[in-house]
Amino acid sequence: MMAEVLEVSFTDFQSKKNNKLHHTDEMSNRCLIIRRGQPFSIILHFKTREFQQGMDRVLLIAETGPWPDESSGTKAIFPLTKVLNKKIWSATLESDDSNSITIGMVASANAIIGRYTLKIQFTTGKKAASYQLGEFILLFNPWCPDDDVYMQDETWRQEYVMNDYGFVYQGHQNWITPCPWNFGQFEDDIVDICLKMLDKNLNFLQDAFKDLAQRNNPVYVSRVICAMTNSNDDNGLLQGNWSGDYDTGVCPSSWNGSIAILRQWYKNDCRPVKYGQCWVFASVMCTVMRCLGIPSRVITNFNSAHDTNGNLLIDEYYDISGKLLPKKTSDSIWNFHVWCECWMTRRDLPPGYGGWQVLDPTPQETSNGTFCCGPAPVKAIKEGEVGLYYDCPFVFAMVNADCVSWTVNGTREEKHLRDAHLVGTNISTKSVGRDDREDVTHNYKYEEGTIEERKILQKATNNLHKQHPQSLTNGSIHYNGTNEFASNGFSENGTLPYCRRSSLNGSSFQDTSVNKPLQDAKLLLKFKLADSPQIGQPINLVLLAANLASIPKTLKLKLNAQSVKHNGEVLHLFWKDSMYIDLGPSEEKWIVLQIPHAKYGQFIDDNNLIRVVALGEQNVTWEKLLVKKDITLALPEVIINFLGPNVVNKRSMVQLTLTNPLNEQIQDCALFIEGSGLLRTTLKLRVGTMGPREKSILQFEMVPFKCGPKQLQVNFSSNKFKNIKGFKSVMVKL
């Protein structure tokens, strides 16, 4: 009598065991989440009889998407073989024991990522039966050498895939501040939300069959996620807002991490979350990419250029009082700009351009009709290969454009300085395995002022000229010298609290970090901060005016101060003045200046940035000097103390100390606290009203639920400010 076809009674996906081996156990122990090119095993239990090799033939079927198809890669059919082949979908019989068998399987290292259904078909003689065994999720695999996201260094994999917290660097080039961020890529439901983002992208909605077929390619997937992180073309994740009015949403500076944003988008029927700015866009994208298995990190570029006409020149226009005229040009320089780098092979490019790729989800310009940017190979940016995919000219300009400053008097425009060193400084990211800042500027450009750096700029310009000659109508970008575009500051009312005369010989203001003046320039202006500026306190600066000539000169100074956003947009001109300074031959004068909090406090935005400009003109040759300084006002930190050991599933107490930095009462004070593995949701503590300079100490209880290195992030907000941060790393033990 012929044996009956095997009947499956129960399937054990061994999720706990497999997920641990595939570095996904922090995501879930209930759902099977595996990585491409890495074996896993499942156990099948049968109702009636044992499995018999030779008699029972087996086919396994893995399907993803609404219309599975073998030719497109969304369906794989494979039998049991003697050994596993990691380059294709394959399976082997590992063991059989009475009424169960263990099957070892591996998904192709080039398989489409996403949610799969696994089926099995048994054939015994002429009889066949099929069973749906269950679902699993397949991710990219940076541990697999055959995967396009393979990263060889384990310490790098731990940082750029497994680490669930990090820092976004903000401020400006001379005042770099680490802002803590909770990536939370392994939190419950985050992987489901990331896959939902793929299914909501425009390509899928227009042609799902074509979109799914390309989800094996990290270049394609990263580009889709980049576009979906902003909401400009679709129901993407975040709506950008730089207006300063956030009443209908959340101030971008108030976010501590990605989890609340992703969950809000998912729960609100995929409606865009309000609001984001560049560091929020980049940090959320980093979460999604790490979750999907693509190594990623957040990069901050200080003095980042936004070149709208593609000529690698940034034009800035000032009126005769030194006030910036933003409406004269759509070009801009951001005090800092944040994007993602993702690690992958570039099979679509010549050899040598794999590795780190720039992906910028902040909606600035369109790329092939969609608001996204990249992936652009970092190596291509450094070498000026702006003709490679994707968006290399735009990224190159962000880090290496020249800045040209003009003064405008009526219809007359006067070009008076060109700075080749301003753009693209202190490019920063978190260090591997440490909470320190790593400077990666050398990855993007040769050292400023070197022959190599200038040659690369000329090379990039020539390549652009061949592709888009109409965009370079302002002429060649040949460089003929440097100009003073130095650090500087402002005064409250133009009075001179004191002037001190001294010889230029041995001047204490000699500074190799400041550009040299033009060879024919005979004057020098420079600002220095007298102390570290704190919000709520007066800002003290010193202005140096120096005559480098052997004849006396009189310098007319026009000064102003404006609040400015991190993207370079000026807000309020809250102070301006003018003065004359008489300078003898080879003489310098130091002018001490001060501005109280009462003058600037009501005008600054959440980034606490102030731009000070001095425009000088002397009465002999009428040469002009323009100097500016961007000042970031420091905030007090929320101090965090853990009151005892932190152990998984054990209660522990945390103490927070916060201070009102202002000499006035603040209201609506609240703390927003989160940390992956420490708190399951964002904790909000209401503080209420705090008096001038008042210090407050609070305690709360938490129960850590994951072991390993973790970080607690705290944001302190009020009616006067939104972004006083605090963070502390902790090791949670089992």
Short mmCIF file of all heavy atoms in Angstrom, two decimals, residues 42-97:
data_model
loop_
_atom_site.label_atom_id
_atom_site.label_comp_id
_atom_site.label_asym_id
_atom_site.label_seq_id
_atom_site.Cartn_x
_atom_site.Cartn_y
_atom_site.Cartn_z
N ILE A 42 14.71 25.31 10.33
CA ILE A 42 13.34 25.20 10.82
C ILE A 42 13.05 23.72 11.09
O ILE A 42 13.71 22.83 10.53
CB ILE A 42 12.31 25.77 9.83
CG1 ILE A 42 12.32 24.98 8.52
CG2 ILE A 42 12.58 27.25 9.56
CD1 ILE A 42 11.22 25.38 7.56
N ILE A 43 12.10 23.47 11.96
CA ILE A 43 11.72 22.09 12.29
C ILE A 43 10.27 21.87 11.90
O ILE A 43 9.38 22.66 12.26
CB ILE A 43 11.89 21.81 13.80
CG1 ILE A 43 13.35 22.02 14.22
CG2 ILE A 43 11.45 20.38 14.13
CD1 ILE A 43 13.57 21.90 15.72
N LEU A 44 10.02 20.81 11.13
CA LEU A 44 8.66 20.43 10.73
C LEU A 44 8.23 19.19 11.51
O LEU A 44 8.95 18.19 11.55
CB LEU A 44 8.60 20.14 9.23
CG LEU A 44 9.04 21.25 8.26
CD1 LEU A 44 8.84 20.79 6.82
CD2 LEU A 44 8.27 22.52 8.53
N HIS A 45 7.06 19.27 12.10
CA HIS A 45 6.46 18.13 12.81
C HIS A 45 5.31 17.58 11.98
O HIS A 45 4.49 18.35 11.45
CB HIS A 45 5.96 18.57 14.19
CG HIS A 45 7.06 19.05 15.10
ND1 HIS A 45 7.72 18.21 15.96
CD2 HIS A 45 7.61 20.28 15.27
CE1 HIS A 45 8.63 18.89 16.64
NE2 HIS A 45 8.58 20.17 16.24
N PHE A 46 5.24 16.24 11.88
CA PHE A 46 4.23 15.59 11.04
C PHE A 46 3.18 14.87 11.90
O PHE A 46 3.46 14.44 13.02
CB PHE A 46 4.89 14.59 10.08
CG PHE A 46 5.95 15.22 9.22
CD1 PHE A 46 7.27 14.81 9.31
CD2 PHE A 46 5.63 16.22 8.32
CE1 PHE A 46 8.26 15.38 8.53
CE2 PHE A 46 6.60 16.80 7.54
CZ PHE A 46 7.92 16.39 7.64
N LYS A 47 2.01 14.71 11.29
CA LYS A 47 0.89 14.11 12.03
C LYS A 47 0.95 12.58 12.07
O LYS A 47 0.68 11.96 13.10
CB LYS A 47 -0.43 14.54 11.40
CG LYS A 47 -0.89 15.92 11.80
CD LYS A 47 -2.29 16.19 11.25
CE LYS A 47 -2.79 17.56 11.74
NZ LYS A 47 -4.16 17.84 11.22
N THR A 48 1.27 11.96 10.92
CA THR A 48 1.01 10.52 10.81
C THR A 48 2.24 9.65 10.76
O THR A 48 2.28 8.58 11.38
CB THR A 48 0.17 10.26 9.54
OG1 THR A 48 0.87 10.84 8.42
CG2 THR A 48 -1.21 10.90 9.66
N ARG A 49 3.29 10.02 10.05
CA ARG A 49 4.41 9.09 9.86
C ARG A 49 5.72 9.85 9.75
O ARG A 49 5.76 11.07 9.72
CB ARG A 49 4.18 8.27 8.59
CG ARG A 49 4.17 9.08 7.30
CD ARG A 49 4.04 8.18 6.07
NE ARG A 49 3.99 8.95 4.84
CZ ARG A 49 5.07 9.36 4.16
NH1 ARG A 49 6.28 9.11 4.63
NH2 ARG A 49 4.92 10.04 3.03
N GLU A 50 6.80 9.11 9.67
CA GLU A 50 8.12 9.69 9.54
C GLU A 50 8.39 10.10 8.09
O GLU A 50 7.81 9.55 7.15
CB GLU A 50 9.19 8.68 9.97
CG GLU A 50 9.14 8.30 11.42
CD GLU A 50 10.25 7.35 11.80
OE1 GLU A 50 11.16 7.14 10.97
OE2 GLU A 50 10.22 6.82 12.92
N PHE A 51 9.31 11.04 7.95
CA PHE A 51 9.81 11.44 6.63
C PHE A 51 10.76 10.35 6.14
O PHE A 51 11.62 9.86 6.88
CB PHE A 51 10.54 12.78 6.75
CG PHE A 51 11.20 13.23 5.48
CD1 PHE A 51 10.46 13.85 4.49
CD2 PHE A 51 12.56 13.03 5.28
CE1 PHE A 51 11.07 14.27 3.31
CE2 PHE A 51 13.18 13.45 4.11
CZ PHE A 51 12.43 14.07 3.12
N GLN A 52 10.60 10.00 4.85
CA GLN A 52 11.45 8.96 4.26
C GLN A 52 12.17 9.52 3.04
O GLN A 52 11.54 9.85 2.03
CB GLN A 52 10.62 7.73 3.88
CG GLN A 52 9.94 7.06 5.06
CD GLN A 52 9.16 5.83 4.64
OE1 GLN A 52 9.44 5.20 3.62
NE2 GLN A 52 8.16 5.46 5.45
N GLN A 53 13.48 9.62 3.18
CA GLN A 53 14.27 10.10 2.06
C GLN A 53 14.16 9.13 0.88
O GLN A 53 14.14 7.92 1.05
CB GLN A 53 15.75 10.25 2.46
CG GLN A 53 16.05 11.48 3.28
CD GLN A 53 17.53 11.63 3.53
OE1 GLN A 53 18.10 10.92 4.34
NE2 GLN A 53 18.14 12.58 2.85
N GLY A 54 14.11 9.69 -0.31
CA GLY A 54 13.97 8.87 -1.50
C GLY A 54 12.53 8.68 -1.89
O GLY A 54 12.21 8.63 -3.08
N MET A 55 11.66 8.56 -0.89
CA MET A 55 10.24 8.40 -1.19
C MET A 55 9.52 9.74 -1.16
O MET A 55 8.66 10.01 -2.01
CB MET A 55 9.59 7.44 -0.18
CG MET A 55 8.11 7.15 -0.50
SD MET A 55 7.37 5.99 0.65
CE MET A 55 7.26 7.00 2.11
N ASP A 56 9.87 10.58 -0.18
CA ASP A 56 9.19 11.88 -0.05
C ASP A 56 10.04 12.96 -0.71
O ASP A 56 11.16 13.26 -0.26
CB ASP A 56 8.99 12.21 1.43
CG ASP A 56 8.08 11.21 2.12
OD1 ASP A 56 7.01 10.90 1.55
OD2 ASP A 56 8.44 10.75 3.22
N ARG A 57 9.52 13.50 -1.78
CA ARG A 57 10.21 14.59 -2.48
C ARG A 57 9.70 15.93 -1.94
O ARG A 57 8.51 16.09 -1.67
CB ARG A 57 10.00 14.49 -3.98
CG ARG A 57 10.57 13.20 -4.58
CD ARG A 57 10.55 13.20 -6.09
NE ARG A 57 9.22 13.40 -6.64
CZ ARG A 57 8.32 12.44 -6.81
NH1 ARG A 57 8.62 11.19 -6.44
NH2 ARG A 57 7.14 12.69 -7.34
N VAL A 58 10.64 16.91 -1.82
CA VAL A 58 10.31 18.18 -1.17
C VAL A 58 10.67 19.35 -2.09
O VAL A 58 11.75 19.38 -2.68
CB VAL A 58 11.06 18.33 0.17
CG1 VAL A 58 10.75 19.69 0.80
CG2 VAL A 58 10.71 17.20 1.11
N LEU A 59 9.76 20.28 -2.17
CA LEU A 59 10.04 21.57 -2.79
C LEU A 59 9.65 22.66 -1.80
O LEU A 59 8.57 22.61 -1.20
CB LEU A 59 9.23 21.77 -4.08
CG LEU A 59 9.77 21.14 -5.36
CD1 LEU A 59 8.83 21.46 -6.51
CD2 LEU A 59 11.17 21.64 -5.68
N LEU A 60 10.53 23.63 -1.63
CA LEU A 60 10.24 24.79 -0.78
C LEU A 60 9.99 26.00 -1.67
O LEU A 60 10.64 26.18 -2.72
CB LEU A 60 11.39 25.06 0.17
CG LEU A 60 11.52 24.02 1.29
CD1 LEU A 60 12.97 23.76 1.63
CD2 LEU A 60 10.76 24.47 2.51
N ILE A 61 9.05 26.83 -1.27
CA ILE A 61 8.69 28.02 -2.05
C ILE A 61 8.71 29.23 -1.12
O ILE A 61 8.02 29.24 -0.09
CB ILE A 61 7.29 27.88 -2.70
CG1 ILE A 61 7.23 26.63 -3.59
CG2 ILE A 61 6.96 29.13 -3.49
CD1 ILE A 61 6.48 25.49 -2.96
N ALA A 62 9.51 30.23 -1.46
CA ALA A 62 9.54 31.50 -0.71
C ALA A 62 9.00 32.59 -1.62
O ALA A 62 9.48 32.76 -2.75
CB ALA A 62 10.97 31.83 -0.27
N GLU A 63 8.00 33.33 -1.14
CA GLU A 63 7.33 34.34 -1.96
C GLU A 63 7.23 35.66 -1.21
O GLU A 63 7.03 35.68 0.01
CB GLU A 63 5.91 33.88 -2.33
CG GLU A 63 5.87 32.60 -3.14
CD GLU A 63 4.43 32.14 -3.39
OE1 GLU A 63 3.54 32.51 -2.60
OE2 GLU A 63 4.22 31.41 -4.37
N THR A 64 7.36 36.74 -1.96
CA THR A 64 7.17 38.07 -1.39
C THR A 64 6.40 38.93 -2.37
O THR A 64 6.49 38.74 -3.60
CB THR A 64 8.52 38.73 -1.04
OG1 THR A 64 8.28 39.96 -0.35
CG2 THR A 64 9.36 39.02 -2.27
N GLY A 65 5.64 39.87 -1.85
CA GLY A 65 4.88 40.77 -2.71
C GLY A 65 3.55 40.21 -3.13
O GLY A 65 3.26 39.02 -2.95
N PRO A 66 2.70 41.05 -3.74
CA PRO A 66 1.34 40.62 -4.11
C PRO A 66 1.29 39.69 -5.32
O PRO A 66 0.32 38.96 -5.48
CB PRO A 66 0.63 41.95 -4.40
CG PRO A 66 1.73 42.90 -4.77
CD PRO A 66 2.92 42.49 -3.98
N TRP A 67 2.31 39.70 -6.19
CA TRP A 67 2.31 38.86 -7.39
C TRP A 67 3.65 38.15 -7.52
O TRP A 67 4.49 38.52 -8.35
CB TRP A 67 2.04 39.70 -8.63
CG TRP A 67 0.79 40.52 -8.51
CD1 TRP A 67 -0.49 40.09 -8.58
CD2 TRP A 67 0.73 41.94 -8.29
NE1 TRP A 67 -1.36 41.14 -8.41
CE2 TRP A 67 -0.64 42.29 -8.24
CE3 TRP A 67 1.68 42.94 -8.14
CZ2 TRP A 67 -1.06 43.60 -8.02
CZ3 TRP A 67 1.26 44.24 -7.93
CH2 TRP A 67 -0.10 44.56 -7.88
N PRO A 68 3.90 37.14 -6.70
CA PRO A 68 5.19 36.45 -6.74
C PRO A 68 5.49 35.88 -8.12
O PRO A 68 4.62 35.30 -8.78
CB PRO A 68 5.02 35.34 -5.70
CG PRO A 68 3.93 35.81 -4.80
CD PRO A 68 3.00 36.57 -5.68
N ASP A 69 6.75 36.05 -8.53
CA ASP A 69 7.14 35.65 -9.88
C ASP A 69 8.62 35.27 -9.87
O ASP A 69 9.46 36.05 -9.41
CB ASP A 69 6.89 36.80 -10.85
CG ASP A 69 7.36 36.49 -12.25
OD1 ASP A 69 6.71 35.70 -12.94
OD2 ASP A 69 8.42 37.04 -12.63
N GLU A 70 8.93 34.09 -10.39
CA GLU A 70 10.31 33.62 -10.37
C GLU A 70 11.24 34.52 -11.18
O GLU A 70 12.36 34.82 -10.76
CB GLU A 70 10.39 32.19 -10.90
CG GLU A 70 10.03 31.12 -9.90
CD GLU A 70 10.39 29.75 -10.41
OE1 GLU A 70 9.54 29.12 -11.06
OE2 GLU A 70 11.54 29.30 -10.15
N SER A 71 10.79 34.97 -12.33
CA SER A 71 11.67 35.75 -13.21
C SER A 71 12.04 37.09 -12.60
O SER A 71 13.11 37.63 -12.89
CB SER A 71 10.99 35.96 -14.57
OG SER A 71 9.79 36.72 -14.42
N SER A 72 11.19 37.64 -11.75
CA SER A 72 11.47 38.94 -11.13
C SER A 72 12.19 38.79 -9.79
O SER A 72 12.59 39.79 -9.19
CB SER A 72 10.18 39.72 -10.92
OG SER A 72 9.37 39.10 -9.94
N GLY A 73 12.34 37.57 -9.32
CA GLY A 73 13.03 37.34 -8.06
C GLY A 73 12.15 37.39 -6.84
O GLY A 73 12.63 37.25 -5.71
N THR A 74 10.84 37.58 -7.02
CA THR A 74 9.93 37.65 -5.88
C THR A 74 9.39 36.27 -5.48
O THR A 74 8.60 36.16 -4.55
CB THR A 74 8.75 38.59 -6.18
OG1 THR A 74 8.12 38.17 -7.40
CG2 THR A 74 9.22 40.03 -6.32
N LYS A 75 9.84 35.25 -6.21
CA LYS A 75 9.45 33.89 -5.88
C LYS A 75 10.64 32.97 -6.11
O LYS A 75 11.31 33.06 -7.15
CB LYS A 75 8.26 33.44 -6.73
CG LYS A 75 7.75 32.04 -6.43
CD LYS A 75 6.51 31.73 -7.28
CE LYS A 75 5.91 30.37 -6.94
NZ LYS A 75 4.70 30.10 -7.74
N ALA A 76 10.92 32.12 -5.14
CA ALA A 76 12.02 31.16 -5.27
C ALA A 76 11.49 29.77 -4.98
O ALA A 76 10.82 29.54 -3.97
CB ALA A 76 13.15 31.51 -4.31
N ILE A 77 11.76 28.81 -5.88
CA ILE A 77 11.36 27.41 -5.71
C ILE A 77 12.63 26.58 -5.69
O ILE A 77 13.45 26.64 -6.61
CB ILE A 77 10.43 26.95 -6.86
CG1 ILE A 77 9.20 27.86 -6.94
CG2 ILE A 77 10.03 25.50 -6.66
CD1 ILE A 77 8.30 27.54 -8.13
N PHE A 78 12.83 25.80 -4.63
CA PHE A 78 14.10 25.08 -4.50
C PHE A 78 13.89 23.77 -3.73
O PHE A 78 13.12 23.70 -2.77
CB PHE A 78 15.15 25.96 -3.80
CG PHE A 78 14.69 26.64 -2.55
CD1 PHE A 78 15.05 26.15 -1.30
CD2 PHE A 78 13.87 27.77 -2.59
CE1 PHE A 78 14.63 26.77 -0.14
CE2 PHE A 78 13.44 28.40 -1.44
CZ PHE A 78 13.82 27.90 -0.20
N PRO A 79 14.57 22.72 -4.17
CA PRO A 79 14.43 21.41 -3.52
C PRO A 79 15.46 21.23 -2.41
O PRO A 79 16.31 22.11 -2.18
CB PRO A 79 14.73 20.45 -4.67
CG PRO A 79 15.77 21.19 -5.47
CD PRO A 79 15.41 22.66 -5.38
N LEU A 80 15.41 20.12 -1.74
CA LEU A 80 16.45 19.76 -0.79
C LEU A 80 17.67 19.28 -1.55
O LEU A 80 17.57 18.48 -2.49
CB LEU A 80 15.97 18.65 0.15
CG LEU A 80 14.83 18.98 1.12
CD1 LEU A 80 14.50 17.76 1.97
CD2 LEU A 80 15.19 20.16 2.00
N THR A 81 18.84 19.77 -1.17
CA THR A 81 20.10 19.35 -1.78
C THR A 81 21.05 18.89 -0.68
O THR A 81 20.78 19.06 0.51
CB THR A 81 20.74 20.50 -2.58
OG1 THR A 81 20.90 21.63 -1.71
CG2 THR A 81 19.85 20.89 -3.76
N LYS A 82 22.20 18.34 -1.09
CA LYS A 82 23.14 17.82 -0.10
C LYS A 82 23.83 18.92 0.68
O LYS A 82 24.13 18.75 1.86
CB LYS A 82 24.16 16.93 -0.81
CG LYS A 82 23.58 15.62 -1.34
CD LYS A 82 24.66 14.73 -1.92
CE LYS A 82 24.09 13.40 -2.39
NZ LYS A 82 25.15 12.52 -2.94
N VAL A 83 24.14 20.03 0.02
CA VAL A 83 24.82 21.14 0.70
C VAL A 83 24.12 22.45 0.35
O VAL A 83 23.45 22.57 -0.68
CB VAL A 83 26.32 21.22 0.30
CG1 VAL A 83 27.08 20.00 0.78
CG2 VAL A 83 26.47 21.39 -1.21
N LEU A 84 24.30 23.44 1.23
CA LEU A 84 23.72 24.76 0.98
C LEU A 84 24.62 25.57 0.06
O LEU A 84 25.85 25.51 0.16
CB LEU A 84 23.54 25.52 2.30
CG LEU A 84 22.51 24.96 3.28
CD1 LEU A 84 22.52 25.77 4.57
CD2 LEU A 84 21.12 24.97 2.66
N ASN A 85 24.00 26.35 -0.79
CA ASN A 85 24.71 27.27 -1.68
C ASN A 85 24.23 28.68 -1.36
O ASN A 85 23.08 29.03 -1.64
CB ASN A 85 24.43 26.92 -3.14
CG ASN A 85 25.20 27.80 -4.10
OD1 ASN A 85 25.81 28.81 -3.72
ND2 ASN A 85 25.20 27.42 -5.37
N LYS A 86 25.10 29.49 -0.76
CA LYS A 86 24.69 30.81 -0.29
C LYS A 86 24.39 31.80 -1.41
O LYS A 86 23.83 32.86 -1.16
CB LYS A 86 25.75 31.39 0.63
CG LYS A 86 25.98 30.59 1.91
CD LYS A 86 27.07 31.21 2.77
CE LYS A 86 27.30 30.37 4.02
NZ LYS A 86 28.37 30.97 4.88
N LYS A 87 24.77 31.44 -2.63
CA LYS A 87 24.53 32.36 -3.74
C LYS A 87 23.15 32.21 -4.35
O LYS A 87 22.74 33.03 -5.18
CB LYS A 87 25.61 32.17 -4.81
CG LYS A 87 27.00 32.55 -4.32
CD LYS A 87 28.03 32.48 -5.44
CE LYS A 87 29.39 32.92 -4.92
NZ LYS A 87 30.43 32.89 -5.99
N ILE A 88 22.44 31.15 -3.95
CA ILE A 88 21.06 30.95 -4.42
C ILE A 88 20.21 30.51 -3.23
O ILE A 88 20.73 30.16 -2.17
CB ILE A 88 20.98 29.90 -5.55
CG1 ILE A 88 21.52 28.55 -5.04
CG2 ILE A 88 21.76 30.37 -6.79
CD1 ILE A 88 21.32 27.41 -6.02
N TRP A 89 18.89 30.53 -3.40
CA TRP A 89 18.02 29.95 -2.40
C TRP A 89 18.26 28.43 -2.38
O TRP A 89 18.20 27.77 -3.42
CB TRP A 89 16.56 30.21 -2.71
CG TRP A 89 16.11 31.63 -2.50
CD1 TRP A 89 16.21 32.66 -3.37
CD2 TRP A 89 15.46 32.14 -1.33
NE1 TRP A 89 15.67 33.80 -2.84
CE2 TRP A 89 15.19 33.52 -1.58
CE3 TRP A 89 15.06 31.60 -0.12
CZ2 TRP A 89 14.57 34.34 -0.66
CZ3 TRP A 89 14.43 32.41 0.80
CH2 TRP A 89 14.19 33.76 0.53
N SER A 90 18.55 27.89 -1.22
CA SER A 90 18.79 26.45 -1.16
C SER A 90 18.41 25.92 0.22
O SER A 90 18.27 26.67 1.19
CB SER A 90 20.26 26.13 -1.47
OG SER A 90 21.13 26.73 -0.54
N ALA A 91 18.25 24.59 0.28
CA ALA A 91 17.84 23.93 1.53
C ALA A 91 18.45 22.54 1.58
O ALA A 91 18.73 21.92 0.55
CB ALA A 91 16.32 23.86 1.63
N THR A 92 18.64 22.04 2.77
CA THR A 92 19.18 20.70 2.96
C THR A 92 18.54 20.06 4.19
O THR A 92 18.09 20.76 5.10
CB THR A 92 20.71 20.74 3.10
OG1 THR A 92 21.24 19.41 3.10
CG2 THR A 92 21.12 21.43 4.39
N LEU A 93 18.51 18.74 4.17
CA LEU A 93 17.97 18.02 5.32
C LEU A 93 19.08 17.89 6.36
O LEU A 93 20.09 17.22 6.13
CB LEU A 93 17.47 16.63 4.89
CG LEU A 93 16.87 15.77 6.00
CD1 LEU A 93 15.58 16.38 6.53
CD2 LEU A 93 16.62 14.35 5.49
N GLU A 94 18.88 18.51 7.51
CA GLU A 94 19.89 18.44 8.56
C GLU A 94 19.71 17.22 9.44
O GLU A 94 20.69 16.59 9.85
CB GLU A 94 19.85 19.72 9.41
CG GLU A 94 20.33 20.95 8.68
CD GLU A 94 20.41 22.17 9.59
OE1 GLU A 94 19.84 22.13 10.70
OE2 GLU A 94 21.03 23.16 9.19
N SER A 95 18.46 16.86 9.75
CA SER A 95 18.22 15.68 10.59
C SER A 95 16.76 15.27 10.49
O SER A 95 15.90 16.09 10.12
CB SER A 95 18.58 15.97 12.05
OG SER A 95 17.72 16.96 12.59
N ASP A 96 16.48 14.03 10.76
CA ASP A 96 15.10 13.58 10.87
C ASP A 96 14.98 12.69 12.10
O ASP A 96 15.87 11.90 12.39
CB ASP A 96 14.62 12.87 9.61
CG ASP A 96 15.43 11.63 9.31
OD1 ASP A 96 16.53 11.77 8.72
OD2 ASP A 96 14.99 10.54 9.68
N ASP A 97 13.88 12.84 12.82
CA ASP A 97 13.72 12.16 14.11
C ASP A 97 12.25 11.83 14.30
O ASP A 97 11.43 12.73 14.52
CB ASP A 97 14.23 13.03 15.24
CG ASP A 97 14.12 12.36 16.60
OD1 ASP A 97 14.00 11.13 16.63
OD2 ASP A 97 14.14 13.09 17.60
#
